[in-house]
C-alpha cells in the first residue's frame, strides 16, 4: 500500500472522467458456475463509482474509499496490496493510456459475496474508457475486467464482472453467450450480512479440492444445481416467485453440503423464512459474507429486514429488474 498524495494533488486540476459498476447477487448457481454449470444472477442497483484524471507523469495511482477504510495504491505488478496489482493489470489492457489517478468509492460491503471487487474494476474501466475516448460494449468490458478479477479470485468464472458491466438479470455460463432473463415483475431481495469475513479465493479452492477428491459425487451435485438454475430461470420468466423461492432453498441445501454455509448464515436464512421470505440462501462465495432472501412483496420485505436487523445483521432491501 503506497500513499500518493502528490499524484492526487497534481490530478485535481483536470476534470475527471466518471464510471460506474454494479454489485451483484447470485440467485442460484455460485461455485458450480466456476466448473462450467450455469448461474442465475442479478445486478444490484448499488456498486462502485470511479473518477479518473490524467496525470502529467506516472506512476498511476488510485484511492479506494470504503465504508470504514481508505486505501491508497500505486499501480505496480509487484504491489503488496492486491488493489495496486489489479490496477496495474487493468491499465495493461490499454494500448496507450496516460498515467492516471483514479478515485473509487464503494457502496457495498467488501468481501461479502456481493461482487465488490468486480464493481470497482468495472467502474474504473468505465472511467478510463471515458478518459481515453475508448468505445467498448458492456460485454467487451466484462471480458476486459477479467484481468482485474484474476488478481483477487485466482480462477473467477467471470459472473461477477459480467453482471457488474452488463446489469439486469441473466443466466451466465462460463465461455458461453450471456442469456438475458426477462422478469414479469421486479424482484424484492433482502440481503443480510453475516458479519463473518469470506475470501472468495479460499472458498473456490475449498470446493475445487472437494471436486478433486470426489469427482463423481461433487460433479453430480453441480449437475443437480444446474437443474435448479434452469428451473429457476423458467420460474422467473413465468413470474412464479413461490417456485423460485423453493429452488433457492434447495440450492442452499446443496451449498451447505459443500460446507459453504455457517451457523450464522443458517440462523439468518431461518429467520428470513420465518418472517415470510419465499426462500433464502447463501449468496456468493459463502463461508461467511451474505445471504439473500426473496420476498413476495414490500410488506414482507420490511418484515424480513426487521428480523435480520434484530439479529444484528447489517441488511438492506434491493429491488432488481425488470
Ligand atoms: C463469487 O461471487 C461467485 C463464485 O461462484 C466464484 C466465481 O464464480 O468466480 C463463488
Amino acid at each position: 500500500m503506497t500513499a500518493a498524495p502528490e499524484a492526487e494533488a497534481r490530478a485535481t486540476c483536470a476534470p475527471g472522467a466518471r464510471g460506474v459498476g454494479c454489485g451483484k447477487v447470485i440467485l442460484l448457481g455460485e461455485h458450480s458456475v466456476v466448473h462450467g454449470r450455469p448461474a442465475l444472477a442479478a445486478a444490484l442497483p448499488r456498486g462502485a463509482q470511479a473518477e479518473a484524471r490524467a496525470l502529467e507523469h506516472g506512476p498511476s495511482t488510485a484511492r479506494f474509499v470504503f465504508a470504514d477504510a481508505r486505501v491508497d495504491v500505486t499501480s505496480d505488478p509487484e504491489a503488496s496490496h492486491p488493489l495496486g496489482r489489479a490496477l496495474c493489470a487493468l491499465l495493461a489492457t490499454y494500448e496507450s493510456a496516460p498515467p492516471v489517478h483514479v478515485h473509487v468509492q464503494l457502496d457495498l460491503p467488501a468481501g461479502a459475496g456481493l461482487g465488490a471487487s468486480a464493481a470497482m474494476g468495472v467502474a474504473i474501466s468505465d472511467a478510463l474508457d471515458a478518459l481515453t475516448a475508448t468505445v467498448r460494449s458492456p460485454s467487451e468490458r466484462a471480458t476486459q475486467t477479467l484481468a482485474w478479477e484474476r488478481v483477487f479470485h485466482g480462477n473467477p468464472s467471470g459472473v461477477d464482472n459480467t453482471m457488474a458491466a452488463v446489469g439486469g438479470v441473466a443466466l451466465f455460463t462460463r465461455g458461453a453467450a450471456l442469456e438475458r432473463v426477462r422478469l414479469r415483475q421486479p424482484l424484492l431481495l433482502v440481503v443480510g450480512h453475516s458479519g463473518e469475513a469470506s475470501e472468495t479465493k479460499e472458498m473456490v479452492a475449498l470446493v475445487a479440492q472437494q471436486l478433486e477428491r470426489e469427482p463423481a459425487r461433487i460433479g453430480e451435485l453441480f449437475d443437480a444445481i444446474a437443474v435448479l438454475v434452469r428451473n429457476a430461470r423458467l420460474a422467473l420468466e413465468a413470474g412464479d416467485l413461490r417456485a423460485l423461492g423453493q429452488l433457492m432453498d434447495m440450492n442452499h441445501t446443496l451449498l451447505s453440503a459443500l460446507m459453504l454455509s455457517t451457523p450464522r448464515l443458517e440462523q439468518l436464512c431461518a429467520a428470513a423464512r420465518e418472517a415470510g421470505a419465499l426462500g433464502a440462501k447463501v449468496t456468493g462465495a459463502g463461508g461467511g459474507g451474505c445471504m439473500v432472501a426473496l420476498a413476495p412483496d414490500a410488506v414482507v420485505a420490511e418484515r424480513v429486514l426487521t428480523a435480520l436487523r434484530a439479529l444484528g445483521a447489517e441488511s438492506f432491501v434491493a429491488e432488481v429488474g425488470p
Side-chain angles (χ1 to χ4, degrees):
M1 203 184 335
T2 315
E6 267 174 56
E8 197 195 7
R10 279 184 280 131
T12 44
C13 345
R18 291 167 191 269
V20 293
C22 307
K24 67 87 189 60
V25 166
I26 298 190
L27 296 170
L28 287 97
E30 48 275 272
H31 285 286
S32 42
V33 70
V34 174
H35 304 278
R37 276 52 164 206
L40 196 55
L44 288 171
R46 57 205 284 189
Q49 294 154 38
E51 185 170 359
R53 295 168 190 269
L55 298 176
E56 275 162 29
H57 44 84
S60 293
T61 55
R63 167 165 292 181
F64 295 86
V65 180
F66 303 103
D68 52 359
R70 215 172 66 175
V71 175
D72 289 311
V73 299
T74 297
S75 165
D76 182 343
E78 305 295 330
S80 57
H81 200 289
L83 284 168
R85 300 198 296 278
L87 179 64
C88 185
L90 191 62
L91 286 169
T93 64
Y94 289 82
E95 264 175 31
S96 61
V100 289
H101 176 73
V102 191
H103 187 275
V104 184
Q105 175 91 36
L106 183 68
D107 186 25
L108 286 173
L114 301 180
S117 67
M120 292 191 291
V122 164
I124 296 174
S125 151
D126 194 19
L128 289 175
D129 282 0
L131 186 74
T132 56
T134 305
V135 179
R136 195 188 309 270
S137 70
S139 62
E140 285 167 344
R141 189 176 324 289
T143 306
Q144 177 212 14
T145 48
L146 257 181
W148 164 281
E149 278 291 87
R150 278 197 195 102
V151 173
F152 301 97
H153 301 323
N155 178 25
S157 65
V159 63
D160 290 13
N161 51 305
T162 298
M163 296 314 296
V166 170
V169 179
L171 189 90
F172 172 93
T173 309
R174 207 170 182 168
L178 189 71
E179 296 175 47
R180 290 271 186 195
V181 177
R182 292 196 190 288
L183 302 190
R184 288 283 184 101
Q185 70 258 67
L187 286 183
L188 276 176
L189 303 173
V190 189
V191 178
H193 196 328
S194 65
E196 301 163 326
S198 158
E199 271 288 335
T200 302
K201 203 173 189 168
E202 278 171 24
M203 302 317 290
V204 167
L206 175 83
V207 173
Q209 276 165 20
Q210 295 180 58
L211 179 64
E212 203 178 306
R213 251 184 266 130
E214 293 184 88
R217 189 175 77 82
I218 303 296
E220 276 169 23
L221 199 146
F222 288 165
D223 289 341
I225 293 177
V227 172
L228 299 181
V229 170
R230 290 199 188 93
N231 280 303
R233 182 208 181 141
L234 297 177
L236 259 182
E237 287 176 338
D240 189 346
L241 296 186
R242 197 159 290 280
L244 177 64
Q246 285 169 356
L247 291 160
M248 287 168 69
D249 281 346
M250 288 185 226
N251 190 180
H252 179 75
T253 305
L254 295 178
L255 291 170
S256 302
L258 287 166
M259 297 184 291
L260 297 166
S261 190
T262 65
R264 174 68 169 161
L265 285 165
E266 292 299 321
Q267 181 192 34
L268 298 183
C269 289
R273 292 185 197 110
E274 183 74 17
L278 298 173
K281 63 181 277 292
V282 166
T283 189
C290 288
M291 49 70 67
V292 60
L294 175 67
D297 55 49
V299 173
V300 173
E302 202 53 41
R303 216 183 290 147
V304 173
L305 189 68
T306 305
L308 296 178
R309 287 187 175 158
L311 290 170
E314 233 178 82
S315 312
F316 64 92
V317 176
E319 185 177 310
V320 302

